[in-house]
Amino acid sequence: MSALPGNSAQVMEEFVKNQLELLQEEREAEIEETRVWQESVSLKELQRKGVCLLKLQVANQSTGLYGRLLVSFTPWKYGAESVLPTNRFGSGDIVGLYDSSAPKEAIATGIVSGITQKSISVAFDEANSETLNLGSEASYRLLKLANDVTYKRIKNMYRALTALSQYHCGPASDLIDVLFCSSQPNGIRPGPVEFLNPSLDNSQKEAVVFSLNQREVAIIHGPPGTGKTTTVVEIMLQAVKQGLKFSFAIFVTENCSTNDAKLWHFFFFSKVLCCAPSNVAVDNLVERLSVYKEKILRLGHPARLLESLQHHSLDAVLARSDNAQLVADIRKDIDLTFAKMKKLQNRDEKSNFRSEIRALRKELREREEAAMVETLKNANVILATTTEP
């Protein structure tokens, strides 16, 4: 199929342009709200609102995935009974780190990697971790900033959509044509289906066969409780079983609380990429698929997953990989080198240690990326929320 016709291409460009403008307005509103908080509201009031944590101390520092610096903060003069005040922090939130003695300027910004009643962990990227010098006796605070993670991901997605429209062939071009109404969906030659779930009713079986016989997109619709999730699980299992050599999408409208609003499933070759708008919805599908002993991989931060399903997470699978011990040794070397550097006063000596840390982090990234690629290759079904990278 050729590239989008002129009118269709213009429609998509206009769609992307409008969406990006709306995203920018939303982002600017969030930034302005944060600025007003910082300038006109007291720190104690911000903590009462749940967007600021005061009087924190560093409890632990370590090297995490891709060489990020992971810092765990606890209440000042942490004791067995000390807990964080009620707050609105969560994994993935962007936070500013401030020294309690410097009320205006942030030391660094990071991303919350986990939070419990007694501590909060923040990941700082490599650029920050090289210059960040946190003392165990100093007092800090964390301020929740506008979360731009989703904004950046959606913005990149729209830009990618514009780029894909320039392709003259391939499944992406065909799918875009259909979604922007410049062509009709195409069917494929139906093949026999041996159902894996014996409890499927006739309407579910019909939906499975229909979906498997669509090249670009299929839509399944039905009231809550009619078995759409069960149907989707069967479709994914059939896609893996048949080793499908084309890509297609299934859009499922869902109103019940376990699946939220929408499920998008993109099939490519013999792998299935399954996306849903919430962690609850994705975990529900992981739970259903795990019964069939399928090779599944759950993307996303482990802190956001159900505890019973965390062994399917990317982090857990990587921890069980052949490179796990080597990666752990490199992280340990980084932590030890960083600890030595913090004790030095001589600038030249510190520079040598920074060079060593950069080299170790480069090796760490390379080995983790290789392990990640191998892990993705071995999985048959990959699941994530629609905002995962």
Side-chain angles (χ1 to χ4, degrees), residues 136-352:
S136 58
E137 296 299 319
S139 175
Y140 301 97
R141 73 175 183 274
L142 291 173
L143 178 65
K144 186 176 179 181
L145 304 178
N147 193 332
D148 62 352
V149 173
T150 300
Y151 165 77
K152 287 181 178 179
R153 289 172 182 168
I154 296 176
K155 188 174 181 179
N156 289 337
M157 182 269 288
Y158 283 127
R159 286 174 175 170
L161 188 61
T162 302
L164 284 173
S165 69
Q166 308 304 316
Y167 284 88
H168 294 264
C169 60
S173 175
D174 295 342
L175 180 59
I176 291 173
D177 280 353
V178 171
L179 293 178
F180 282 87
C181 304
S182 65
S183 68
Q184 294 294 319
N186 296 303
I188 62 173
R189 182 176 299 177
V193 177
E194 295 181 5
F195 296 101
L196 300 173
N197 185 347
S199 64
L200 294 176
D201 61 29
N202 289 334
S203 65
Q204 290 172 319
K205 291 179 180 178
E206 183 181 353
V208 170
V209 173
F210 169 77
S211 300
L212 292 172
N213 293 337
Q214 306 309 308
R215 184 176 296 276
E216 293 90 13
V217 62
I219 300 175
I220 300 175
H221 175 73
T226 53
K228 294 182 294 298
T229 301
T230 301
T231 303
V232 168
V233 169
E234 179 72 24
I235 294 169
M236 288 190 283
L237 293 170
Q238 291 291 338
V240 173
K241 179 182 176 182
Q242 297 181 21
L244 297 176
K245 298 300 181 183
F246 55 88
S247 63
F248 64 94
I250 304 170
F251 172 75
V252 183
T253 301
E254 184 62 78
N255 297 318
C256 60
S257 60
T258 55
N259 282 3
D260 286 343
K262 301 175 183 177
L263 299 179
W264 284 89
H265 307 271
F266 292 92
F267 293 21
F268 187 67
F269 297 105
S270 60
K271 294 191 186 299
V272 178
L273 173 61
C274 171
C275 298
S278 75
N279 286 293
V280 173
V282 177
D283 284 346
N284 183 34
L285 288 163
V286 173
E287 201 166 27
R288 301 282 191 95
L289 285 166
S290 62
V291 175
Y292 294 91
K293 309 298 181 183
E294 193 53 76
K295 294 179 181 179
I296 57 180
L297 182 65
R298 170 68 159 98
L299 303 184
H301 197 285
R304 292 181 169 182
L305 317 184
L306 289 175
E307 186 175 352
S308 60
L309 303 177
Q310 287 184 359
H311 63 284
H312 292 299
S313 71
L314 178 60
D315 292 58
V317 175
L318 288 174
R320 300 193 299 268
S321 68
D322 294 338
N323 279 333
Q325 186 56 53
L326 182 56
V327 167
D329 290 341
I330 297 174
R331 287 182 180 176
K332 185 177 179 180
D333 288 343
I334 292 174
D335 293 341
L336 291 173
T337 306
F338 188 77
K340 292 177 183 178
M341 183 184 71
K342 288 180 65 176
K343 297 177 181 179
L344 297 174
Q345 299 297 326
N346 185 282
R347 184 174 298 179
D348 292 335
E349 290 181 344
K350 279 192 172 185
S351 178
N352 292 334

Side-chain angles (χ1 to χ4, degrees), residues 65-66 297 299 314 318 321 323 366-378:
L65 194 64
Y66 291 133
L297 182 65
L299 303 184
L314 178 60
L318 288 174
S321 68
N323 279 333
E366 291 173 351
R367 293 197 177 274
E368 285 181 332
E369 287 173 359
M372 192 172 296
V373 169
E374 190 62 29
T375 299
L376 291 170
K377 284 182 179 178
N378 292 333

